[in-house]
Amino acid sequence: MRRLWWLAALLPVLAQAQTTDKALQRIRERKSVTIAYRTDAAPFSFEDGGQPAGYSVDLCKRVVTSLEQQLKVQPLAIKWVPANVQTRLDLVRKGQVDMECGTTTATLSRMGEVDFSNPIWVDATGLLVRKTSGARNLGGLAGKSIGVVGGTPNAQALEDALKKSMVNAKVVPAKTYDEAIALLEGGKVEALAAGRVMLLGMGSKLKDGSQYELLDDDIGYVPYAIMLPLGATGLRQAVNRALSQIYGSDAIGDVFRGTFGAAKPPLVLVIMYKLNTYPE
């Protein structure tokens, strides 16, 4: 009986391998990939004319093209599933989608429920403030209210920054970014915390963007990644191989320019692309 100890130790590995095989096998057999996308996370993932659009969406389309080549299944159809900040995790965790392409930050706590690809974007949590607030930094928001989407890494970054800086400000949680914008425009908060690029993307939703400004403060680090089912190591490897191919070619320039026009990627993003380009 003691000689069978190795079998007991091997069973979790075998189960993991089966999980890995099933994730890719489903995609191969269906000849389609089901992708959740954010409808409210411009410029990364949103709807344009009723169709998914944005940096993360375009990047995931390139990933699917690579999966076609890796799995030798052409074409792979994409089934898009709309999601928001409340539903995105459950869609992946419950196996209702194969991946999620949006602005989900890879965190250690979330890694207990889902897997993540290598990073697709790096950003910092920033603060958009009403100009009449007079705030020039986080300290200037003492005694005022700051809106943030609850349960997000941005919310945690805001709480940590307030404690570290010993700034007494009221944090007002919102369920969605649209709700957070409504809080800001309705005068219920003086500032809004979110990813810096996300805040810039919100400019088109503001009725009068000239009333607001983005502070220089960076109060948190947010690495966005493609969310994948927990244990789907084969799928994760295939997605990371795709990202490596994209980052190591002109394709990433096309994806970036498709969303941000002639602007050049910031140095930190260029470094991220290089660090996640691997040899075969």
Side-chain angles (χ1 to χ4, degrees):
M1 186 65 69
R2 291 180 180 177
R3 294 179 181 178
L4 295 180
W5 65 269
W6 58 271
L7 180 58
L10 188 60
L11 285 177
V13 178
L14 293 174
Q16 179 80 356
Q18 290 174 356
T19 302
T20 298
D21 292 341
K22 287 179 180 178
L24 283 176
Q25 185 178 344
R26 283 196 304 270
I27 293 174
R28 183 184 289 112
E29 290 176 349
R30 293 191 317 242
K31 295 184 179 180
S32 67
V33 183
T34 306
I35 302 178
Y37 71 98
R38 290 283 298 280
T39 60
D40 60 347
F44 295 95
S45 180
F46 58 99
E47 288 186 345
D48 183 11
Q51 296 298 314
Y55 171 89
S56 301
V57 168
D58 289 346
L59 187 58
C60 279
K61 288 178 180 178
R62 301 279 182 144
V63 168
V64 172
T65 298
S66 175
L67 290 179
E68 288 180 337
Q69 299 167 358
Q70 293 183 54
L71 298 177
K72 296 179 173 59
V73 176
Q74 293 181 319
L76 274 178
I78 300 178
K79 295 181 179 179
W80 296 102
V81 177
N84 56 40
V85 72
Q86 284 82 29
T87 62
R88 57 183 175 174
L89 206 70
D90 275 347
L91 285 170
V92 176
R93 190 165 51 83
K94 294 178 180 179
Q96 296 173 328
V97 299
D98 298 309
M99 62 182 74
E100 184 262 354
C101 299
T103 57
T104 301
T105 303
T107 66
L108 293 174
S109 58
R110 285 174 174 169
M111 288 177 189
E113 301 181 72
V114 295
D115 274 342
F116 290 96
S117 70
N118 288 338
I120 62 171
W121 187 271
V122 287
D123 202 357
T125 301
L127 291 164
L128 184 69
V129 302
R130 186 184 299 277
K131 289 181 178 179
T132 55
S133 71
R136 293 293 175 263
N137 51 41
L138 181 63
L141 291 169
K144 296 180 172 59
S145 297
I146 306 172
V148 65
V149 176
T152 63
N154 290 310
Q156 187 61 55
L158 175 59
E159 293 280 5
D160 292 344
L162 290 173
K163 290 179 182 178
K164 183 177 180 180
S165 303
M166 292 181 286
V167 175
N168 184 20
K170 181 181 179 182
V171 176
V172 181
K175 292 182 179 179
T176 66
Y177 286 106
D178 287 342
E179 183 179 312
I181 291 172
L183 289 173
L184 183 63
E185 291 192 313
K188 295 182 179 179
V189 298
E190 294 294 325
L192 177 58
R196 293 185 67 85
V197 177
M198 278 280 291
L199 290 171
L200 290 172
M202 289 177 188
S204 61
K205 293 186 176 183
L206 293 169
K207 295 175 183 177
D208 184 3
S210 64
Q211 295 185 33
Y212 310 93
E213 62 183 345
L214 187 62
L215 298 184
D216 292 334
D217 294 45
D218 291 337
I219 60 173
Y221 167 64
V222 282
Y224 298 155
I226 298 171
M227 191 160 41
L228 302 163
L230 186 65
T233 54
L235 178 58
R236 186 175 72 244
Q237 183 179 14
V239 169
N240 284 339
R241 176 174 284 112
L243 291 175
S244 179
Q245 293 168 349
I246 295 165
Y247 294 164
S249 70
D250 293 336
I252 191 58
D254 293 339
V255 171
F256 186 89
R257 286 189 294 271
T259 296
F260 300 101
K264 292 185 178 180
L267 180 60
V268 65
L269 195 61
V270 173
I271 293 172
M272 187 214 77
Y273 292 149
K274 294 293 185 182
L275 289 176
N276 289 283
T277 302
Y278 299 97
E280 283 289 341

